[in-house]
Amino acid sequence: MSEYKRGTRVVVNEDLPGVPEGTPGKCGRGLGFAIKRYRVRFDNDIEVISVAHSKLVPEDEWPQFLARRAREEIEAAQERARIAEARAAAAESRGLPAASTDEPAAEPAEAAAADAPAPEAPAADDGGADPRLAAILARSKSAREATGVPAPESSPAPAAESSTDAAESSAAEPTPAPAAEPAAPPPAPAAAPERSAPPSGPERVEIPEFVPGPEVDPDYAPAANRVSELISEARKDG
């Protein structure tokens, strides 16, 4: 991919905001590394700051670009027609209608689902379906008869009330509204804290008595102290 130099005349090969396809213009500064983009000022006085390299064609190659694109569109249409003819021929050889060539596997699946037997209802709990269970029930019955234990009687299930009867009964017997609870009294405001009375007179403050420290000789200076020696010499000279 050869880059366009600054000032190259180009033509845009697709519509841009404010710039229709086929509008010529002049390239400006290039931007980007992997995907090159350009600043282009078109002849309709619109400047686009970022146009991809693939959307620009040199102005002198624009007629060849249009011819090549038209040829590619024709070849693509011919390829689609060839694929459609091949699918129609394959469907005809398999005895399928031409309309079902896009989804040939759908009909066998539907036919298999239609031919599948319906699921059987669950067997009753009388043990007739399982011979082992029937033998166990027979032995249990004979043991009860030998010991004189009566067989358990199965109580019939209560008839379920229909939804309409339930709705009518609920409508005929209105439920009483719950009694309103008395509102709780508002909490009493908290009492303000009592403030202590200010003192009647000024507060008495005790001042400690001043204790003078020991007297220091004005010529005193600690040993091996050069600063103190200089101060002492200065005092003596004065």
Side-chain angles (χ1 to χ4, degrees), residues 16-74:
L16 297 178
V19 182
E21 179 186 357
T23 304
K26 184 183 293 186
C27 273
R29 184 178 59 180
L31 306 171
F33 295 97
I35 301 177
K36 201 67 177 178
R37 311 182 74 87
Y38 302 92
R39 188 187 193 104
V40 184
R41 184 171 188 84
F42 294 94
D43 292 352
N44 58 354
D45 293 336
I46 293 179
E47 185 175 7
V48 182
I49 61 174
S50 181
V51 183
H53 183 92
S54 59
K55 297 181 181 180
L56 298 175
V57 179
E59 190 174 18
D60 54 351
E61 299 179 6
W62 178 246
Q64 294 83 348
F65 172 80
L66 293 177
R68 183 173 64 256
R69 185 169 64 178
R71 185 172 60 255
E72 291 176 355
E73 292 177 356
I74 294 173

Side-chain angles (χ1 to χ4, degrees), residues 109-159:
E110 294 177 359
D115 297 340
E120 298 180 356
D125 295 338
D126 55 355
D130 193 350
R132 294 176 297 176
L133 181 59
I136 294 174
L137 293 176
R139 288 198 300 269
S140 176
K141 184 177 181 180
S142 60
R144 285 198 303 269
E145 291 176 354
T147 56
V149 178
E153 298 180 358
S154 58
S155 59

